[in-house]
Amino acid sequence: MKKYLLLFIIAVFAMSCSKKVEVKGKITGGSPLERIEFIEASGVATLPLINIGVNKDGTFAGSFEAPRSGMYVVSYGGKQNLIYLKGGQKLDISGNALTFPTEYVITGDAKKNNDFFTATQKYLSTYAQKVNMNELLAKDENTFLKGMEKVQADITKNIEENEKKFGPDSEMVAWKKNDLASTLLTIMNQYEMSHKQMGNPSFKVTKAFTDFTNKLEENKEVMVKENPYYRQYLLGKMSADFQKYAQANSAGKTDITTSELFAEYLKKNQKDLSQTAKDYLLAYVMAQSDIHPGSPAKTVEKIKKIIDTDIKDNTVKEDLKKIQFAINGFKIGEQAPEVSVVKADGKSYAFSENKGKPYMLAFYASWNPYIGEATVPVLKEIVNFYKSKMNFVFVNVDDTKDQFVKTSSSLLKGIAGTNVYADGGLNSDIAKKYGIYGFKLPCFIIVDKDGKIASKPFFNLGDPELVTVLDKQTGLSAPKVNPNVQLQQGAGMDPAVVAAQQQAAAAAQQQANPQPAQTK
């Protein structure tokens, strides 16, 4: 009996520690061409945790590992909203395609927390219309402080009323109060900065102002981990000082990065700041300033070194490595990972079958708007030109093998190459090993004859650097086109193909530089 009881206790404990969130729902009028994504709003690496397809009847389902309890961004059809999630929850979310996820209905485990969140947000939007913040910012300090204390009291009262009404988890209430504190701190800093900029650079706030600020920062170690607004507040506080430091320490250094300067600044000028805060602030600066498509190899290596040496928090470190890999790809010369993929006939296919000949990996999905009429004609031209000297492997990341068979037989018909399917789509082994996400599709990577990575990930078939890599790997020489003139004037290409190439280039450029998730 004791043995069974012990097993039961272990099972319950394992369930309580689970990070998995199971998602299902229905979007009335939803399109199979649109996808639902969930992104951790408080993390430093805003990569989608899952990309879920919508069925013809609008239903969808999936599951993902939630790094922690907190706010997440739910995205669909170019619209985004916040949602509070906990590991181990079953989320049933629904809505209408015209308004989802700006508006949504939740049932199941996540209902009470998100009903509370929605109610408090609704109150805030109404309350903001009653308070003239610009007028308050122009007042003398005493009047401003009284106004801020009233704002805090009013919103806190509403939070507590909704807590009684909906019975949310204590973590949800704590997050909401910390979120309020972060917002108030940002306004406090705005007040201080605006008075310094009004012809009085020596302006200093009183002790009462400082005491109120310190009270708002009572939970600062939690806030810096959970709330991007608080991080932005801290960065705003040190902005002017950092600008002076950067100007004084970057003179004559043409290749120094913002991340390097900020890492040095934190060590020398912010010794009282906790290591946790330094980690999150440095991560924010790196993600915003130096981790982006097209970063030179030298910059990529510099950022890797800063991540390894300056970031101490393992979660932050791993998140930064993930986003850098997703954006910049493998290091040139690394061995291309071997993965499990299958052909339409069900037979397995190994990339090593290309050894002795360079090859291009082309990742795509039928639901991606940047594949099809715009990209395929250009891809066909490239394949026809280089196929005598290299192979082409088209990796489909659709949700099912049936969809892969339909897509590859229609979309890529007549294009020489090997069509393979990544079982599991964007959740497949190959997607994880090659850093493939929905926002990166279509994506093209060149591998040399020895099976080593020969290029960064390309999102634009019209990228001159891609042509350079292809020429180098094959020994061929593609016709050169002046990028500053219409492509019809070069290479004698079919005007329809050239037009398609221009469309693909524009689409890929937009897709490769997605707008960041808008969190509150």
Side-chain angles (χ1 to χ4, degrees), residues 61-132:
S63 63
F64 63 93
E65 294 290 317
R68 55 185 154 186
S69 298
M71 299 308 301
Y72 289 77
V73 175
V74 54
S75 173
Y76 173 81
K79 299 186 291 290
Q80 298 163 335
N81 200 0
L82 288 173
I83 185 170
Y84 190 88
L85 297 176
K86 295 175 62 179
Q89 282 188 334
K90 292 183 178 180
L91 171 66
D92 195 323
I93 182 170
S94 60
N96 187 288
L98 296 176
T99 56
F100 184 85
T102 306
E103 297 176 4
Y104 55 68
V105 175
I106 289 180
T107 56
D109 301 346
K111 178 176 173 56
K112 62 181 181 179
N113 284 329
N114 284 287
D115 283 351
F116 165 81
F117 175 65
T118 300
T120 55
Q121 292 297 96
K122 185 176 181 180
Y123 174 80
L124 280 178
S125 62
T126 303
Y127 186 79
Q129 296 174 8
K130 299 178 181 178
V131 179
N132 189 332

Side-chain angles (χ1 to χ4, degrees), residues 3 8 45 51 86 96 108 126-127 135 181 193 199 204 228 237 251 273 358 371 373 375 383 433 446 449 470 489 492:
K3 178 181 179 182
F8 175 75
N51 182 297
K86 295 175 62 179
N96 187 288
T126 303
Y127 186 79
E135 183 178 304
M193 292 299 101
K204 289 187 178 180
K237 287 281 288 182
L273 202 65
I371 194 72
E373 293 183 2
T375 303
V383 172
K433 286 183 177 178
I446 311 302
K449 63 183 179 60
L470 291 171
Q489 297 175 8

Side-chain angles (χ1 to χ4, degrees), residues 271-292:
K271 294 181 180 179
D272 294 335
L273 202 65
S274 72
Q275 185 60 48
T276 299
K278 289 180 180 179
D279 285 349
Y280 277 88
L281 295 184
L282 180 54
Y284 181 91
V285 169
M286 282 194 283
Q288 294 294 316
S289 302
D290 295 312
I291 301 178
H292 51 75

Side-chain angles (χ1 to χ4, degrees), residues 372-384:
E373 293 183 2
T375 303
V376 171
V378 186
L379 181 61
K380 189 172 184 178
E381 289 288 314
I382 289 174
V383 172
N384 287 341

Side-chain angles (χ1 to χ4, degrees), residues 221-250:
E221 287 299 282
V222 174
M223 288 160 65
V224 78
K225 289 183 177 182
E226 293 185 349
N227 201 299
Y229 261 18
Y230 182 65
R231 295 172 212 156
Q232 291 174 20
Y233 158 75
L234 292 176
L235 288 169
K237 287 281 288 182
M238 60 183 71
S239 178
D241 191 39
F242 172 63
Q243 291 301 324
K244 291 179 182 178
Y245 179 88
Q247 289 175 6
N249 291 274
S250 61

